[in-house]
């Protein structure tokens, strides 16, 4: 004989699940309220950003993306998903097709190219995977380079002292008179970090800065970068492929590779964008 | 601008070899026409000065240029000789002072100039060390000869044999150095001056030998005696053997390569010159009288024509080199595209980036220009010596 009526055990379980869902929702809302209360003012605010490389068919759309002041955020995603493109858009190197990018209270899309360069050199420090140091300048001259290439950042009187202090913190103080060709990979990247921070920017954008480093060195360099940035209250956004480094960041955001496929990452990630193709 | 210059300077210092090659190439572009121009100007000036200070040259008929170059610069193949009688003829005319020259032989590759004391007054040559020649076998050295051969009064100098394998030829003469001249930046600095008679001894027209013994005498016809080869011929004239030196023949028939005629008449030397010139216009004349300045002006006109061709060639070469340099800069810029991109990415202003690249070009061009200018000035300053060392 088969029973046709509702199974009392099943009914109780369903009620239990519903109760748990309600509790979870309440917890979620409560945690959201707490997060909002703790969240610092946004230093990066992206709204309805559209960008495309017509030749390759690559498109990037970010509905909304914010980073709070002093946050250290890792940006991950598959190759060609647009991580570096996003970084370049945020730095004002690329210009979006439409949408809004507000960096440190300035609407970037409203600025002329000259103004964007001036804004970039004074407010944003950039670190690249290939270090991109000038091989014919000494470490000291490389550190001081931002003061020499745009009149928007006047060279302070204590520029050399500031460079020496940075070099000291980055443990390259004894390499100031050397040329990049005489340095190890890790040292080169530390010089690049120093160059990015010499102007005391509000933001530090790093595009896979550990990509060319061996595992031991990359942790070392990352440690330097995040610590110094933290001490100076600099907001960090770093593009990386290396999932082993993500636990060093306060937040990890993943950018999807395919149409609408997005993923949320731990511990406090958020859905970021839609993109297609490769830049 | 200072920041651009600084970065550009660091780039140039770091890439020394590349910069040196570029600077050398651009320096050559600038220096080649400028240097040639300066050198030609200097050589033309030098040729003109010497020629204009020599009123008239009389010599055997033949190439006027050869006669003038030999008499003024002691260079070129010796012209056909005339006789000492021509010098007498000029002197006797009363229109000019005759300074005979015999420029044919050499000592240690330096020209031996057989002449008279008047030559030194005429060229305003002054003694630096020692004295002028006074005896047979003595010589006075130009400053450069003394310096090059490290000779001073009291030393001796051997004339070069004319034909090394001619055993019947005249023996080289060992000359005694009695004086060294002050330098005057002229061909005289590179000459060895001897008395005309000494030059004739070098030519084999006069000689000295031990007294003939009966057993050495082969033939005797009147005053003419022929001795066998065992008679020792002196190759050096000393006070002890000077009395044995003698000439066979009439001095008027002895050779000279030219006579410099210095017109008399302090008030109107041109008149004396014209009169003298007129005496050598006849078709029957065996000698010619040439005005060196006229000959040299003709020669210079040719040199200036050649200069035009050289400058045109240098211009074409310059254009080709400039194109190559532009290509090098463009390739360099292409190689440095990433560097420019980095500067742009970190916020370098367009004007500063262009400024850095422009400063590099500026520094290279300015360095080249400075070196080329220094070389051109050096050429103009020392061109006279250069010309004498390399050309004449």
């Amino acid at each position: 004989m088969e029973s046709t009526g509702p199974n009392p055990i099943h009914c109780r379980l369903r009620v239990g699940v519903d109760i748990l869902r309600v509790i979870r929702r309440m917890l979620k809302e409560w945690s959201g309220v707490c997060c909002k209360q703790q969240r610092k003012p946004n230093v990066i605010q992206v709204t309805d950003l559209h960008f495309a490389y017509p030749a390759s068919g690559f498109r990037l759309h970010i509905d909304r993306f914010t980073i709070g002041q002093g946050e250290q955020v890792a940006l991950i995603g598959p190759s060609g998903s647009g991580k570096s493109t996003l970084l370049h858009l945020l730095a004002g190197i690329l210009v979006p097709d439409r949408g809004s990018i507000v960096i440190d209270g300035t609407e970037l899309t409203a600025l002329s190219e000259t103004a964007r360069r001036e804004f970039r050199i004074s407010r944003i420090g950039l670190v690249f995977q290939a270090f991109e140091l000038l091989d014919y300048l000494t470490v000291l001259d490389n550190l001081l380079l931002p003061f020499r290439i745009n009149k928007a950042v006047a060279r302070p009187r204590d520029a050399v002292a500031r460079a020496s202090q940075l070099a000291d913190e980055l443990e390259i103080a004894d390499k100031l008179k050397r040329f990049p060709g005489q340095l190890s990979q890790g040292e080169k990247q530390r010089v690049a970090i120093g160059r990015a921070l010499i102007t005391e920017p509000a933001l530090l954008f790093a595009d896979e800065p550990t990509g060319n480093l061996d595992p031991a060195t990359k942790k070392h360099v990352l440690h330097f970068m995040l610590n110094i940035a933290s001490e100076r209250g600099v907001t960090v956004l770093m593009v990386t492929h290396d999932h082993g480094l993500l636990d060093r960041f306060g937040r990890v955001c993943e950018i999807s590779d395919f149409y609408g496929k997005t993923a949320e990452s731990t511990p406090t990630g958020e859905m970021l964008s839609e993109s297609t193709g490769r830049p | 601008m200072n920041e651009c210059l600084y970065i550009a300077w660091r780039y140039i210092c770091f890439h020394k070899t590349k910069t040196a090659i570029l600077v050398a190439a651009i320096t050559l572009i600038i220096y080649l026409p400028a240097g040639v121009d300066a050198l030609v100007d200097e050589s033309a000036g030098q040729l003109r000065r010497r020629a204009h200070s020599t009123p008239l040259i009389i010599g055997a008929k033949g190439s006027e240029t050869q006669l003038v170059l030999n008499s003024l610069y002691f260079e070129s193949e010796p012209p056909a000789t005339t006789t000492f009688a021509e010098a007498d003829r000029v002197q006797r005319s009363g229109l000019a002072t005759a300074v005979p020259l015999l420029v044919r032989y050499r000592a240690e590759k330096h020209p031996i100039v057989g002449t008279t004391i008047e030559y030194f007054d005429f060229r305003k040559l002054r003694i630096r060390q020692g004295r002028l020649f006074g005896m047979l076998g003595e010589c006075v050295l130009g400053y450069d000869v003394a310096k090059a051969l490290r000779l001073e009064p009291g030393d001796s100098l051997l004339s070069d044999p004319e034909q090394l394998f001619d055993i019947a030829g005249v023996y080289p003469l060992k000359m005694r150095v009695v004086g060294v001249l002050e330098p005057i930046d002229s061909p005289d600095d590179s000459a060895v001056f001897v008395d005309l008679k000494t030059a004739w001894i070098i030519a084999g027209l006069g000689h000295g030998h031990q007294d003939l013994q009966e057993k050495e005498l082969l033939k005797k016809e009147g005053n003419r005696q022929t001795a066998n080869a065992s008679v020792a011929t002196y190759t050096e004239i000393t006070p002890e053997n000077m009395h044995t030196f003698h000439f066979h023949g009439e001095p008027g028939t002895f050779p000279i390569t030219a006579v410099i005629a210095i017109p008399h008449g302090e008030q109107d030397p041109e008149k004396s010159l014209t009169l003298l010139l007129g005496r050598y216009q006849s078709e029957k004349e065996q000698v010619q009288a040439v005005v060196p300045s006229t000959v040299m002006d003709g020669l210079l006109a040719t040199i200036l024509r050649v200069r035009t061709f050289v400058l045109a060639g240098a211009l074409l070469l310059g254009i080709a080199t400039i194109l190559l340099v532009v290509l090098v800069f463009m390739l360099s810029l292409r190689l440095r595209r990433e560097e420019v991109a980095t500067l742009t990415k970190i916020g370098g202003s367009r004007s500063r980036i262009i400024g850095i690249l422009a400063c590099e070009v500026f520094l290279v061009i300015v360095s080249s220009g400075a070196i080329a200018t220094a070389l051109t000035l050096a050429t103009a300053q020392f061109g006279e010596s250069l010309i004498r060392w390399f050309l004449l």
Side-chain angles (χ1 to χ4, degrees):
Chain A
M1 286 289 288
E2 287 186 21
S3 167
T4 53
N7 190 330
I9 298 170
H10 282 175
C11 287
R12 282 185 202 128
L13 281 172
R14 198 169 293 142
V15 170
V17 167
D18 286 343
I19 290 168
L20 284 172
R21 277 180 181 161
V22 169
I23 292 168
R24 194 182 74 168
R25 194 176 301 128
M26 285 170 69
L27 282 170
K28 203 170 182 177
E29 283 173 7
W30 178 76
S31 76
V33 169
C34 287
C35 281
K36 277 177 186 171
Q37 280 172 350
Q38 289 173 358
R39 196 117 183 204
K40 294 170 181 174
N42 290 332
V43 73
I44 297 175
Q45 192 166 326
V46 176
T47 312
D48 192 26
L49 182 74
H50 287 264
F51 179 79
Y53 287 114
S56 64
F58 171 84
R59 286 189 294 112
L60 179 71
H61 170 229
I62 296 169
D63 191 36
R64 182 177 163 75
F65 173 53
T66 57
I67 294 180
Q69 192 177 15
E71 264 196 293
Q72 297 189 332
V73 178
L75 186 59
I76 59 168
S79 295
S81 59
K83 303 183 297 296
S84 296
T85 302
L86 176 59
L87 211 64
H88 285 155
L89 285 164
L90 295 177
I93 297 168
L94 293 175
V95 182
D97 298 330
R98 65 188 157 93
S100 163
I101 301 172
V102 178
I103 305 283
D104 204 19
T106 302
E107 175 57 61
L108 219 54
T109 55
L111 300 178
S112 66
E113 193 193 333
T114 305
R116 270 187 283 121
R117 285 178 190 234
E118 289 179 359
F119 179 81
R120 185 158 69 242
I121 201 158
S122 57
R123 306 297 297 146
I124 300 169
L126 283 160
V127 181
F128 309 98
Q129 180 177 355
F131 324 127
E132 304 194 15
L133 302 172
L134 301 195
D135 60 352
Y136 54 87
L137 295 183
T138 61
V139 168
L140 180 62
D141 283 333
N142 264 294
L143 288 174
L144 296 172
L145 186 64
F147 295 127
R148 297 191 194 279
I149 57 171
N150 198 322
K151 65 178 189 301
V153 280
R155 182 177 164 150
R157 284 187 177 182
D158 66 338
V160 175
R162 197 191 286 186
S164 300
Q165 191 192 333
L166 257 175
D168 203 33
E169 290 175 46
L170 290 162
E171 295 182 4
I172 48 170
D174 58 332
K175 311 274 191 303
L176 285 175
K177 288 183 180 173
R178 293 198 185 174
F179 289 94
Q182 299 169 308
L183 303 178
S184 69
Q185 302 290 86
E187 287 167 342
K188 283 181 193 172
Q189 197 56 293
R190 277 183 273 161
V191 176
I193 292 166
R195 183 182 67 187
L197 293 171
I198 192 82
T199 55
E200 298 179 343
L203 299 111
L204 180 66
F205 292 166
D207 192 357
E208 301 201 43
T210 57
N212 279 356
L213 306 177
D214 60 74
T217 310
K218 67 173 68 172
K219 286 187 177 174
H220 198 52
V221 168
L222 190 64
H223 169 77
F224 276 116
M225 189 176 84
L226 295 181
N227 273 11
I228 294 174
S230 175
E231 283 167 15
R232 291 159 191 256
V234 177
T235 305
V236 177
L237 176 60
M238 181 176 122
V239 168
T240 183
H241 269 116
D242 195 335
H243 286 244
L245 303 174
L246 298 183
D247 59 343
R248 308 286 181 103
F249 292 87
R251 186 152 64 103
V252 177
C253 297
E254 183 169 351
I255 191 164
S256 71
D257 191 21
F258 304 106
Y259 295 99
K261 282 187 181 176
T262 55
E264 193 171 289
S265 63
T266 56
T268 53
E270 60 186 76
M271 188 179 83
L272 194 64
S273 73
E274 288 178 45
S275 69
T276 181
R278 288 169 189 276
Chain B
M1 191 62 184
N2 286 343
E3 305 293 0
C4 295
L5 263 177
Y6 178 78
I7 294 176
W9 176 246
R10 299 304 313 171
Y11 180 85
I12 282 171
C13 290
F14 190 79
H15 296 98
K16 290 187 189 77
T17 311
K18 178 185 147 187
T19 307
I21 292 169
L22 270 176
V23 167
I26 298 171
T27 299
L28 280 177
I29 299 171
I30 303 169
Y31 173 66
L32 208 61
V36 165
D37 211 38
L39 204 63
V40 170
D41 276 350
E42 184 54 40
S43 62
Q46 193 196 30
L47 291 171
R48 241 183 223 122
R49 275 195 298 279
R50 185 102 170 153
H52 281 268
S53 67
T54 311
L56 191 67
I57 292 176
I58 295 157
K61 279 195 170 173
S63 164
E64 290 184 349
T65 308
Q66 199 176 352
L67 176 64
V68 170
L69 286 177
N70 182 265
S71 308
L72 264 57
Y73 308 103
F74 316 134
E75 295 295 334
S76 85
E77 284 296 303
T81 53
T82 182
T83 60
F84 184 69
E86 289 302 330
D88 267 348
R89 182 180 164 194
V90 172
Q91 197 69 42
R92 280 199 313 273
S93 73
L95 294 169
T97 300
V99 180
L101 291 175
L102 177 55
V103 187
R104 182 184 179 126
Y105 306 101
R106 293 184 169 263
E108 298 285 347
K109 295 182 182 171
H110 296 281
I112 296 172
V113 179
T115 186
T116 55
I117 297 293
E118 284 76 18
Y119 183 84
F120 296 89
D121 291 334
F122 169 61
R123 291 286 185 214
K124 297 183 174 61
L125 301 176
R126 289 180 184 171
I127 288 288
R128 182 188 177 89
Q129 271 181 290
R131 57 173 175 80
L132 285 178
F133 49 73
M135 285 170 48
L136 280 179
E138 290 181 342
C139 67
V140 173
L141 305 182
Y143 178 79
D144 290 346
V145 179
K147 196 175 166 189
L149 302 178
R150 295 180 183 175
L151 294 176
E152 55 184 16
D155 294 334
S156 55
L157 177 65
L158 207 61
S159 66
D160 295 344
E162 268 216 294
Q163 293 177 9
L164 193 61
F165 301 106
D166 182 6
I167 54 171
V170 182
Y171 292 111
L173 181 70
K174 191 174 182 182
M175 297 172 287
R176 200 166 55 258
V177 178
V178 294
V180 176
L181 297 173
E182 288 280 2
I184 58 160
D185 283 336
S186 80
D188 297 319
D189 290 346
S190 304
V192 176
F193 294 93
V194 296
D195 182 70
L196 197 56
K197 286 177 183 170
T198 306
W200 284 334
I201 288 170
I202 294 170
L205 297 168
H207 60 215
H209 50 75
Q210 61 187 129
D211 291 338
L212 291 179
Q213 304 298 314
E214 200 62 39
K215 59 180 179 180
E216 294 158 346
L217 204 59
L218 295 176
K219 200 163 64 177
K220 188 172 183 180
E221 293 173 358
N223 286 337
R224 191 176 178 86
Q225 295 176 322
T226 307
N228 65 28
S230 66
V231 178
T233 306
Y234 299 118
T235 56
E236 182 180 4
I237 305 168
T238 62
E240 291 74 36
N241 67 16
M242 188 181 292
H243 67 278
T244 70
F245 275 82
H246 53 275
F247 293 91
H248 296 276
E250 180 60 38
T253 63
F254 289 171
I256 53 173
T257 47
V259 180
I260 296 175
I262 309 161
H264 291 157
E266 284 182 6
Q267 289 182 350
D268 196 1
E270 283 295 322
K271 187 179 172 185
S272 302
L273 184 71
T274 310
L275 287 171
L276 202 56
L277 263 174
R279 295 186 181 189
Y280 291 91
Q281 298 303 312
S282 165
E283 287 287 324
K284 291 175 185 171
E285 270 295 340
Q286 295 298 304
V287 291
Q288 60 179 339
V290 294
V291 179
S293 56
T294 310
V295 175
M296 290 316 297
D297 284 345
L299 187 64
L300 286 175
T302 308
I303 291 174
L304 294 177
R305 269 200 298 277
V306 172
R307 173 169 72 172
T308 311
F309 286 118
V310 170
L311 290 179
L315 186 71
L316 287 175
L317 196 68
I319 291 169
T321 315
I322 286 169
L323 290 175
L324 279 173
V325 168
V326 170
L327 185 68
V328 168
F329 275 120
M330 285 172 68
L331 285 173
S332 170
L333 207 61
R334 197 177 172 83
L335 285 171
R336 296 173 66 189
R337 204 167 40 185
E338 284 187 11
E339 180 191 325
V340 172
T342 300
L343 293 176
T344 305
K345 276 194 282 188
I346 64 175
S349 65
R350 194 190 297 272
S351 60
R352 283 279 168 99
I353 295 169
I354 292 169
I356 291 166
L357 299 172
C359 280
E360 283 171 23
V361 177
F362 172 77
L363 286 173
V364 167
I365 290 173
V366 164
S367 310
S368 310
I371 297 171
T373 306
L375 284 173
T376 307
L377 288 175
T379 305
Q381 180 74 26
F382 303 109
E384 203 162 326
S385 309
L386 284 173
I387 294 157
R388 281 195 287 117
W389 286 344
F390 296 112
L391 299 180
L392 294 179

